[in-house]
Amino acid sequence: MIQRIEGRIPQSPLQCNQTICTLYNTYGRWGDRKDCYALNATYPTTEEELLAAVSFAVKHNLKAKLVTRFAHSMPKLACPHQALQSTFVISTESYNRQIQIDTANAVVTVDAGVSLRQLIDALEAAGFSLVVSPYWEGITIGGLISTGAHGSSWWGKGGSVHDHVVGLSIVVPASQSQGYAKILRLEPQDPLFNAAKVSLGVLGAISKVKLTIEPSFKRSITYNFASDVGLEDLYGEHAKKYEFADITWYPSQYTAVYRYDSRVPLNTPGNGVFDFIGFQDTLSWVSVAVRATETFNEKTRNMLGKCISAATTLAYRKLIANGLKSDGIFFLGYPVIGLQSKMQASGSCLNSPNPATSCPWDPRIKGLFFFETTPILPARVFRDFALDLKKLRDINHQYFCGADNYNGIFLRYIKASDAYLGQPEDSVVVDFNYYRADNASTPRLNQDIWEELEQIAFFKYGAKPHWGKNRNIAFLGVDKKFPNYNKFIEAKQQLDPQNVFSSNWSDEILFGKELEKSDGCALEGLCICSEHRHCSPQNGYYCSHGLVYDDARVCRYSNTPPSSSIEN
């Protein structure tokens, strides 16, 4: 009997019954695969109700966390404390009513729960544009600035949305005489402003965000599918030449896709739309079939199968221009020109009218399931990183087919920021997705390559982690990587001395401490192996040195057990 798989709008990440609330992320499983629970939840609709919710939490000595309607982050920053009896969740799902556009001063102020797409559409209707945004529209404004979400640009204020913020309202704990909570209105001149711009949700509850905007404009996009020869020398000039440049690198295919993306005058002909292929509403059975094929290739150690899929994926993306649609429906040739509001972010799977479709990663259909590693490298070291990646690739190009099945090595640009947890210098964001097994104890084909690349980025070249992505090991030693880290901690102690908005989960990320190692902990990035038992020796995976970066410690497959323990 064939099971009928129905498409659906993504469900709320916060599911409550009469006794308990469970918080999921959009992928259905957190990095450690342990669910998050809270004793109770509330859904404020106004700033006054948000203030009351925080006051209630402080008065009753509860551990509180803000949760958005999407919960798209991978780290457990939104998870309440493990002590269930003292946990409280505040959802901004219904706090999304106000979008106030100040045309005279070219700013917009929004409730924290307003979605990116809501804001983009409201600005378009008023004749304005948000200059930068993440490419994925399924995210709230409060959530995206809290984790440092970004687009791609080295022009102007750069590609990070928080660097376009000029005002913040945040609800923080207060004394009994102040009603247990108060609202701070922060402007750029305030000492706490640079701490609050990227806050990870641990300073308080963001209530309102004020962003700079510009008169509406259009963008012209062309994708150039080219050889990856010289990419390590071309990346900088590419970003300087095109305002919204990015590069998608497919190492196994020796291909780099350069995005030529610049603004053009509003009267330029063109009604194009960017409906990125990875975010489109996809027939659910297709997502299930893709996952089944990938799992089969994993179990049979079939690198050739993965490489055939990678080549097919690249050819299809070239054919349909990655989802660009010249007239809003079909791709008819380059360049594709359209309004900024139609080109800057996409996510058609969020609101598909087709009952047979869904987002490809929807956990209810058992579709795509993957890790996402996102190191942010100082631009000055990106060349060396790219050359190390090529050295790994040149050992066997098939190693990289697993990532090229997804979106290859995705490169974007962000500028130096004055946010304490932002990037202290101009940087290149490196993003790659790769297969994650259904079972935590199942090792993965060529997992040593992804572990080595991860460690090359974060430990050899000192990359900083994207706060909303990554496996746990990406945050090791993070306190030493941000020059203003201690200032952020001081701000945290000032605004929330009782740690109302902290939890053991968020502390793991913010303080970057490695947990106690256990059997198999390295398989999912919960630790770096130092003994074979941290891998999966029963399945032939042993702790080994890196192939290019000797200091790396990775779980590598071998037909024969090593004669001794790894030397550190």
Side-chain angles (χ1 to χ4, degrees), residues 63-66 76-79 142 145-147 170-173 195-206 421 467 485 487-511:
K63 290 287 190 178
K65 282 291 183 181
L66 237 65
K76 301 177 84 169
L77 291 169
C79 286
I145 66 162
S146 295
T147 55
I170 183 169
V171 183
V172 299
K197 286 205 299 184
V198 180
S199 68
L200 313 187
V202 300
L203 301 185
I206 291 178
L421 296 185
W467 294 107
Y485 177 87
K487 291 183 179 179
F488 180 84
I489 298 301
E490 289 172 5
K492 178 180 180 299
Q493 292 169 343
Q494 177 182 341
L495 295 179
D496 186 16
Q498 296 173 296
N499 293 318
V500 173
F501 288 95
S502 294
S503 71
N504 52 302
W505 308 115
S506 58
D507 283 352
E508 285 179 13
I509 303 304
L510 178 59
F511 295 103

Side-chain angles (χ1 to χ4, degrees), residues 66 68 92 95 110-116 139-149 168 196-201 205-209 211:
L66 237 65
T68 74
T92 62
Y95 183 40
V110 302
D111 290 343
V114 167
S115 74
L116 177 59
I139 190 170
T140 65
I141 302 304
L144 72 87
I145 66 162
S146 295
T147 55
L168 278 170
K197 286 205 299 184
V198 180
S199 68
L200 313 187
I206 291 178
S207 173
K208 295 183 182 294
V209 181
L211 293 152

